[in-house]
Amino acid sequence: MGNLLRLLTGASEQDSKDIFLDFENATPTDQEKGVWEVVNSVLENAPSILNALKNYGGASEEIRIAIGNPRDDELQELAWKVVLPLVSKLKLFYQYSLELESIVPQLLYALCVGNEQVETRLGQKQALAKQFAEVLNFTLNFDDLKMTNPNIQNDFSYYRRTLSRKRMAIDDIGGDDQAEVSTEMANRMSLFYAHPTPLLKTLSDATTKFVSENKNLPIENTTDMLSTLSSLCRVMVENAEIAQKFENEETKFFVLSVMVGMIILYDHVHPVGAFAKSSAIDMKASIKLLKEQPHGSVDAFFNALRYTTKHLNDDSTPKHIRMLLA
């Protein structure tokens, strides 16, 4: 998928820049290797996490029966035993979100540090740009699966209510040790799963924190990187000559998910956000591109833009942009 793309940064060809980025085959240079290996050790677990979330069936039936028969101890215990291993999975997902949160600042610093133009930095660190794209693609997929599975919050709510009634520490209950969740962790998990797009919120918060904690790094280094990658992804799909080289539809939706993820992060860290007229991101073109996709195929991307961005409802957002996302 490596392509030399001309990204328009203004109204004329004089206001353009060329950038080459390979999202498929980029391999780490010696300069990238240290950060790349740390990030790779986390990303290599992403497919199994996503597969476990896809196959999360929940305990809705057992919980329904237990709630309907509150005096039947056997049914209460049956529901509890079914819920415990599910909570173990939810704990695993949450812990993985913490791992992702820990690698985001490392990726951002590596991609944003330096006095070079943004296209030069990205060209020199293509393997890290590819990993950043993979983090965002995983994030949107994770949040879509979570948002469309009400069993996750229902199971965890039942677990917490039942645990409270038992009035004892989880390690005294005799369940699977892997399902144990401390009160403190249960509180943090509850806040995590209560958000409609928990992983996007985690990454957005991590990116905002990165900018605030790295005062010596110009904010433009971060916002330019995010807007350039977003524009790059948009052009890759818009350009018919490039798009036809995609091996399958999955590749195209990978690129679109990265575009949306970059927009959301940019909106959280840029002072006026992604939707204002002065934004470096062409929101009208980005939304138009999403609307051109098959009906229903990009609903998750629209939901992410509606519910996870920060500045959509600001007065500075043009009305036609708000209408496009209505």
Side-chain angles (χ1 to χ4, degrees):
M1 198 191 301
N3 299 282
L4 182 64
L5 300 178
R6 175 148 292 187
L7 300 183
L8 288 176
T9 55
S12 68
E13 283 295 316
Q14 284 71 38
D15 301 315
S16 66
K17 55 190 176 184
D18 292 333
I19 179 170
F20 179 89
L21 189 60
D22 191 341
F23 272 158
E24 283 186 337
N25 304 305
T27 55
T29 61
D30 290 340
Q31 182 187 10
E32 297 172 278
K33 209 152 194 180
V35 174
W36 186 91
E37 288 178 346
V38 171
V39 175
N40 186 61
S41 67
V42 175
L43 283 178
E44 63 185 7
N45 295 319
S48 62
I49 293 291
L50 214 54
N51 187 59
L53 183 55
K54 282 179 182 176
N55 294 309
Y56 186 95
S60 58
E61 184 64 14
E62 290 83 0
I63 291 172
R64 184 187 65 78
I65 294 173
I67 291 175
N69 298 272
R71 297 178 183 233
D72 191 320
D73 291 340
E74 287 188 11
L75 291 176
Q76 307 308 309
E77 196 60 26
L78 174 62
W80 177 253
K81 288 181 177 178
V82 172
V83 164
L84 277 180
L86 294 173
V87 170
S88 179
K89 286 185 179 181
L90 295 180
K91 177 183 176 182
L92 177 67
F93 301 156
Y94 173 70
Q95 289 175 322
Y96 190 69
S97 78
L98 299 180
E99 292 185 53
L100 283 178
E101 183 181 23
S102 72
I103 62 174
V104 167
Q106 298 179 65
L107 276 171
L108 286 171
Y109 190 82
L111 291 170
C112 298
V113 71
N115 297 319
E116 308 91 346
Q117 293 292 317
V118 62
E119 60 269 24
T120 302
R121 290 202 308 274
L122 291 174
Q124 292 173 345
K125 300 173 181 177
Q126 294 192 35
L128 295 183
K130 176 176 179 286
Q131 285 185 321
F132 194 33
E134 289 171 347
V135 169
L136 287 173
N137 181 60
F138 171 84
T139 295
L140 267 79
N141 282 317
F142 180 97
D143 282 353
D144 182 43
L145 289 170
K146 182 269 173 186
M147 188 184 286
T148 55
N149 191 341
N151 288 326
I152 290 174
Q153 279 184 272
N154 291 342
D155 292 350
F156 196 64
S157 294
Y158 177 80
Y159 167 82
R160 296 194 74 192
R161 291 196 307 271
T162 304
L163 185 60
S164 177
R165 286 199 303 269
K166 288 177 178 286
R167 297 182 180 278
M168 61 178 67
I170 183 66
D171 56 356
D172 291 331
I173 292 174
D176 184 350
D177 288 345
Q178 296 303 310
E180 295 176 2
V181 176
S182 68
T183 301
E184 182 184 354
M185 176 169 281
N187 291 337
R188 285 186 275 125
M189 286 173 62
S190 183
L191 289 173
F192 176 78
Y193 287 115
H195 201 277
T197 52
L199 212 45
L200 268 172
K201 184 179 188 307
T202 298
L203 262 61
S204 297
D205 289 347
T207 305
T208 302
K209 184 179 179 182
F210 168 81
V211 170
S212 66
E213 290 184 347
N214 288 273
K215 303 290 187 185
N216 60 326
L217 193 65
I219 189 174
E220 291 79 14
N221 284 29
T222 303
T223 55
D224 286 354
M225 185 273 292
L226 295 171
S227 63
T228 298
L229 280 177
S230 175
S231 298
L232 172 65
C233 291
R234 175 174 56 78
V235 172
M236 289 172 108
V237 179
E238 279 181 343
N239 188 311
E241 184 179 344
I242 296 168
Q244 69 181 5
K245 296 178 182 178
F246 294 163
E247 294 181 4
N248 49 53
E249 283 291 294
E250 186 177 336
T251 302
K252 182 174 76 172
F253 286 105
F254 170 87
V255 176
L256 288 172
S257 72
V258 175
M259 178 189 79
V260 170
M262 295 295 173
I263 290 171
I264 291 168
L265 296 187
Y266 179 96
D267 191 58
H268 276 265
V269 300
H270 194 280
V272 299
F275 300 97
K277 289 181 180 179
S278 59
S279 169
I281 295 176
D282 189 337
M283 284 305 305
K284 183 177 179 181
S286 300
I287 296 170
K288 179 175 178 290
L289 181 62
L290 291 176
K291 285 184 173 289
E292 289 172 354
Q293 307 312 310
H295 180 69
S297 63
V298 291
D299 285 351
F301 301 157
F302 280 115
N303 286 334
L305 289 172
R306 290 182 189 117
Y307 305 125
T308 315
T309 48
K310 182 179 179 181
H311 294 280
L312 176 59
N313 295 315
D314 287 2
D315 292 338
S316 59
T317 300
K319 288 183 179 179
H320 71 275
I321 295 294
R322 270 193 287 236
M323 288 179 65
L324 283 171
L325 283 173

